[in-house]
Every structure is written in C-alpha cells, then in structure tokens.
Amino acid sequence: MSATTKVTPAIDAEEAWTDEKHSHSVKLLPTKRPWYKFFDEYEYRDLYERNGLAHKWYHWFDENDSPDERRYILKLDLLITTYCLVSYWVKNLDQTNITNAYTSGMQEELNLQGNALVDMQVMYNVGCVVTQLPFLYLFPKVRMNILIPGLDIVWGLFTLAQYRATNKAQMMAYRFLIGCAEGPFFPGVHYVLGAWFKSHEIQRRGGIFYMGLMLGSTTAGLLQAAVFKNLNGINGLSGWRWMFIVDSIITIPIGILGFFIWPGTPDKLHSFFFTQKDAEIANRRAERNGTSKPKGFRFEVLKRALTSWHLPVLVVWDVLFWNSSGQSYGVFLLWLKSLNRYSVVLRNNLSAIPPALGVLYIFIVCFGADIFRSRWFFLCLAQTINWINLVILAVWNVPESAKWFAFMVQYFSISMSSVLYGWANDILRHDDEYRSLILIAMNVVAQQSTIWTPLIFWQTVDAPRYLKGFSFAGTVAFSLVLWTFVVLYFFKRDERKYYFERLQEVDTSESATSEDDLGRGLKSED
C-alpha cells in the first residue's frame, strides 16, 4: 500500500441510512399556496423533515425510518406505551371507584347526605392541583423512571386506606391524598411521551395510554359488581370496602414493576431494556423533530411564558376540554339508580358500557389524528358528537332510547385528550423546560376549574336531571370546537417561522461550504 493511499473508515449502517434519508436539505415552498393548505398541519414540516416526500397514511412506521429506528420504535411501544396503558388503567380504577362505591352501599353506611359525592370528587381535584405546582420546575430535574412508578405505589396505599373510613370527613381526607399522588402522573406521562415520540407518532401512543382510563372506568363497574356479589359481608366488611382493598392489591405491584421497565426520558435514561444505541437514535430523532434537550430552568422561560401566546391560548383550550362533559360526576350511574328497576350488581355492570365504547372512540380519534395527520379535524369531530349528546340530555324530555344514546356516546368528550396534549407537546417541542412549564400550567388551571364548576353546575341534589350541568357543558363543547381553530392559526404561524429559520440555516451552511470549496480550489491552483 502506498504511503499516500487514503483509508476510508467503516461507516455504521444506521449512520449511512440516516445520512442518506435525513439530510439537512429544505425544500422550497411552492410559488402558489392554495387556501386549503391552512388546514394542513404538516405543510411546513414536510418540507424539512421529509424533504417533500408524500406520506402514506396506512403505514405504521414512517417511510424515512431506518430498520434500526423501527426496532427502536417497537421497543418504545412494548415498554413505554404498554406501561402507560396499564398504569393509567389502575389510576382510573382507583379514581372512579368512588362513584361505584357511593351507589353500592357507601352512601347509606356512612350516612352521606346532600352533595357528599361531588364534595369528595372536588377534594380529589384539590389534591391534584396542589401537588402539580412544584413539578413546573421538577419534571426536567427528576428521574421520571422513579417518579412515575413511585406515584403508582403511593396512591395504591391511600386507596387501601379508604376501606377503613367511617365518615365523610375521613373519606374526603383520603380522596385528597389520592389526588396528591395522582396529580403529577397525567402531565408527567405526556412529558415523557413528548420526549420519545415525534409529532406524527404521539397521538396513537397517547391514545393507547388514554385507553387505560376507559378500561379503568369499565372494570371499576364490573369489579364492583363481582366484589359486591362475592365478598359483601366477608370478615364483616361491606362490598364497597372490599373494592378498595382489591384495587390496592392490583395497583401496588404494577408500581413496583414500573421501576424495572419504565425508562424515564432520553437525557436521564435508566432501563434494563434500553441501550446506549437507543439513546443515540432518540437524540437523532429529537434533532430532526426540533425537540430540545433540558438546559436547566431559566428566568427567560417564565418571562417567555408570560409574554407568548402559548400560555393564554393553550390554557383556555385545556380549561374548555376539562369542562366539556359531566361523565366524571357519575351522571349515568345516578340516572340508572333513579329508574328504580336495576339491582346494585346490574347497575354496576351497565355502568361499564359507556367507557367500554370509549375505547373505540379513542381508537377513532387518536389513531385517526396520527394516521390522517389532522389533529384539528378529529378534535372537532369528537366535540361535535359530544355536543349532540349534551343537547339531548339538556332537553331531557325525550324518549328514553335517546337518553341511552346520549349516555353511550358521552365518552367522545374525553377521547380527544391525547390528541390535545400530544399537539401541545408538539407546539412546545423546541424548549424542554418551557414545555414542562406550559404542560403543567395547562393541567393545573384546567383541573382547578373542576374544583368549583361542579359546585355550581353538577350538584348531586340535581341528579339525574342536571339541567345546569348539561347546558353548561354543551356551551363549553361548542366553544372548544371554535377555539381549536384559534390554536391552529397560532400553530401554523409558528411552524412557518420555524421553517424559514431552518431554511436560513441551510442557506448559511451551503454558503460556508461553497467558500471552503473555493478556498481549497485556490490553494490547489497555487
């Protein structure tokens, strides 16, 4: 071999694929822009992330994903997404069982009067709001692989404690403590999902996560029916007390399992199943998506939040979402009880139908938003159907079959949750600390509104009619559809600005490269 022979180093196959498929070129905007392009959320991003390549809606993976990247995404789905589903299932099993217990003997045994049920639900929300505030600062700081599973265990212990309650005051205290443990969980999971998944992937994964809510609500009714039938009176305990015991037995082991399979975030990766190569792929994907790495909390983050459109627009959006339905106040179960024709066991079994159908609604809304890449459309679709059911229930004097229809589709109202939070994650992806602050602010302000709105619109003494509640929620649902277009407008404005920043970076890079080439050419001539 000659001394002047240049040896080319071996190139990793994954790096070669990445260099070939994901160059930093940016395609120019078309000269003429049709008016309907305003509704295309990916109009600008496709020009720099996909280099203008067409999207095939029926593909689970993106056409630009390398083989290694597809294996990596599959691992994310098997571990992160699956744990999200199971953990959210037990969270909502523990959260919604209060209504099942109330209609299964707890009301009579604890002598609960007036608005006791809504008071306990409000106390839970107070706990959620109080403990979310510190995590404005803590999410980018703490190890999420410890925080999320640890929360599972804590609320499992407080769920167990409820079986010992002997009066309303004790039950309200336990509900407050459960809320404290569950409060950071929901925004924390969305924070983690936003760190791993890209914008066109997160709605599906968030949808699978949110199916846990429906499964929790479904199995709460079925489980209460089974517990009441088989354990009522065993060891001198009522069936509703046994339910809290059974719930905790399910919850705590899942929390312990989370310490082993939940990896946290890419910047603080700790898992038996993820490797350094996975972390490198995560970093490459984050760079292409424009997702930032944590930089530490800065005063500029708070200043930006107070002066940008994100805080007021996204907070109002989330407040409208949280108040667009009454299903969380047990309206269906209380209606069934008012009919005086169903036993306790049958009532609890029937209560499982709406959330079971909710799994289908989540599939339609969340998967549709990702596959067809149109979040605004599926948000509006879900809330339009929700508005129809609320109008029916507000009118009330309709055939009973119409009420059954309205109650059966009520979970369309919350099927959009992961689309809304997934979109918010995408909007805020360029600054990790800022994303944490806004996500928590959205959730805190929205959830605090559910502390006082039930006391006005969803009082237990109004059951099952709830004229004020159904009218209020219907108005909110209609407003939510309109507000989604406000979010779309600001989102498209930011995406256009970011596109031109990328274009300018590429132009500057190409200019510098040309100057270097010219310099080398002049040297060779010398």
Side-chain angles (χ1 to χ4, degrees):
M1 181 182 292
S2 170
T4 59
T5 301
K6 184 177 180 180
V7 179
T8 303
I11 299 176
D12 181 80
E14 170 70 18
E15 293 177 357
W17 179 286
T18 302
D19 291 340
E20 178 185 353
K21 303 291 283 186
H22 300 294
S23 66
H24 291 288
S25 63
V26 178
K27 191 174 181 180
L28 295 176
L29 276 170
T31 306
K32 294 183 179 180
R33 177 180 181 255
W35 64 268
Y36 54 81
K37 273 294 184 178
F38 169 76
F39 299 100
D40 180 2
E41 298 166 25
Y42 291 84
E43 176 187 6
Y44 301 109
R45 184 173 303 178
D46 283 348
L47 297 175
Y48 64 81
E49 190 177 73
R50 302 174 55 81
N51 298 321
L53 294 178
H55 166 69
K56 296 181 176 62
W57 65 267
Y58 50 85
H59 283 191
W60 180 261
F61 299 107
D62 192 275
E63 293 80 2
N64 284 346
D65 292 339
S66 70
D68 277 353
E69 192 170 354
R70 295 183 184 194
R71 286 190 288 271
Y72 157 87
I73 294 171
L74 184 60
K75 188 184 292 187
L76 293 181
D77 286 335
L78 291 175
L79 295 175
I80 293 181
T81 309
T82 302
Y83 184 76
C84 284
L85 169 67
V86 175
S87 187
Y88 207 33
W89 164 58
V90 296
K91 175 188 181 294
N92 282 279
L93 189 65
D94 298 340
Q95 178 183 339
T96 60
N97 57 18
I98 189 69
T99 303
N100 296 92
Y102 182 86
T103 59
S104 301
M106 185 176 74
Q107 178 187 10
E108 294 77 13
E109 190 170 335
L110 299 188
N111 191 29
L112 302 177
Q113 304 292 331
N115 293 314
L117 176 59
V118 76
D119 289 343
M120 289 185 285
Q121 291 165 331
V122 165
M123 190 56 65
Y124 165 84
N125 287 331
V126 171
C128 287
V129 170
V130 167
T131 51
Q132 284 183 58
L133 292 173
F135 289 92
L136 290 166
Y137 173 79
L138 290 175
F139 272 161
K141 301 285 187 182
V142 301
R143 300 192 71 94
M144 301 300 283
N145 62 296
I146 297 175
L147 176 66
I148 298 299
L151 292 173
D152 283 358
I153 295 173
V154 172
W155 81 57
L157 293 172
F158 287 131
T159 296
L160 174 63
Q162 290 177 109
Y163 94 93
R164 296 178 57 84
T166 58
N167 54 55
K168 177 184 175 181
Q170 290 180 13
M171 186 58 73
M172 289 184 69
Y174 290 137
R175 298 307 293 177
F176 173 78
L177 293 171
I178 292 172
C180 288
E182 293 188 6
F185 174 81
F186 182 80
V189 168
H190 276 289
Y191 175 81
V192 172
L193 291 175
W196 288 101
F197 291 105
K198 295 168 71 174
S199 59
H200 63 276
E201 300 168 342
I202 195 170
Q203 276 74 226
R204 276 171 285 177
R205 279 73 186 186
I208 294 172
F209 161 57
Y210 212 66
M211 286 179 185
L213 181 147
M214 306 301 180
L215 293 175
S217 300
T218 301
T219 50
L222 298 175
L223 185 59
Q224 179 65 47
V227 167
F228 191 89
K229 182 178 180 180
N230 297 297
L231 295 178
N232 188 37
I234 301 297
N235 291 334
L237 296 178
S238 303
W240 65 268
R241 294 184 186 274
W242 274 110
M243 184 175 187
F244 293 129
I245 297 173
V246 172
D247 286 350
S248 65
I249 291 173
I250 297 172
T251 301
I252 295 172
I254 290 174
I256 295 172
L257 183 63
F259 289 124
F260 298 95
I261 64 175
W262 182 255
T265 52
D267 61 296
K268 295 183 179 67
L269 180 63
H270 180 80
S271 173
F272 293 96
F273 303 97
F274 284 81
T275 65
Q276 185 58 37
K277 185 175 184 179
D278 293 324
E280 292 169 0
I281 295 175
N283 290 333
R284 283 198 295 268
R285 282 162 50 86
E287 182 180 352
R288 293 200 302 271
N289 195 47
T291 305
S292 74
K293 296 179 181 179
K295 305 180 185 66
F297 194 83
R298 295 148 285 143
F299 177 74
E300 306 91 80
V301 173
L302 182 59
K303 181 180 178 181
R304 181 185 171 197
L306 296 175
T307 56
S308 76
W309 68 269
H310 297 117
L311 187 62
V313 173
L314 296 182
V315 164
V316 169
W317 198 31
D318 204 23
V319 168
L320 292 172
F321 164 65
W322 275 73
N323 289 279
S324 63
S325 173
Q327 56 81 25
S328 61
Y329 305 112
V331 293
F332 179 53
L333 252 177
L334 292 171
W335 176 64
L336 290 177
K337 187 175 182 179
S338 72
L339 297 177
N340 293 318
R341 73 171 76 134
Y342 303 114
S343 67
V344 170
V345 173
L346 184 54
R347 278 203 308 268
N348 282 292
N349 283 332
L350 289 173
S351 72
I353 299 176
L357 291 172
V359 174
L360 173 63
Y361 306 153
I362 287 178
F363 182 86
I364 293 171
V365 174
C366 295
F367 279 63
D370 260 2
I371 292 172
F372 295 101
R373 307 208 308 167
S374 183
R375 291 167 289 202
W376 70 264
F377 175 81
F378 285 92
L379 287 177
C380 293
L381 173 66
Q383 281 304 317
T384 300
I385 297 173
N386 178 47
W387 178 78
I388 292 171
N389 96 72
L390 289 166
V391 168
I392 292 172
L393 294 173
V395 174
W396 194 256
N397 294 319
V398 295
E400 187 173 308
S401 59
K403 292 179 184 175
W404 275 100
F405 166 79
F407 284 121
M408 291 305 104
V409 299
Q410 65 178 342
Y411 274 85
F412 259 111
S413 62
I414 58 176
S415 66
M416 57 169 276
S417 174
S418 292
V419 180
L420 185 148
Y421 281 93
W423 196 354
N425 255 309
D426 187 30
I427 291 170
L428 306 166
R429 69 189 184 277
H430 302 302
D431 188 320
D432 196 69
E433 283 71 28
Y434 186 70
R435 180 167 65 94
S436 170
L437 188 152
I438 300 296
L439 284 176
I440 288 286
M442 287 171 61
N443 215 59
V444 166
V445 177
Q447 195 159 17
Q448 69 79 29
S449 70
T450 64
I451 294 173
W452 53 270
T453 52
L455 300 176
I456 301 173
F457 301 105
W458 300 102
Q459 295 184 40
T460 309
V461 293
D462 291 337
R465 178 67 176 87
Y466 290 117
L467 174 61
K468 290 184 293 185
F470 294 132
S471 301
F472 167 71
T475 304
V476 169
F478 182 78
S479 302
L480 180 53
V481 171
L482 298 181
W483 200 257
T484 296
F485 291 101
V486 176
V487 175
L488 178 62
Y489 166 78
F490 283 107
F491 169 70
K492 290 298 296 284
R493 191 183 70 174
D494 279 5
E495 287 293 285
R496 180 181 177 86
K497 179 181 177 182
Y498 183 67
Y499 161 76
F500 281 109
E501 289 175 357
R502 293 288 293 262
L503 185 63
Q504 186 176 8
E505 288 175 5
V506 171
D507 289 343
T508 303
S509 176
E510 289 177 351
S511 175
T513 302
S514 298
E515 291 176 3
D516 289 344
D517 290 344
L518 178 61
R520 283 192 291 269
L522 291 174
K523 280 188 176 182
S524 62
E525 288 178 5
D526 293 342

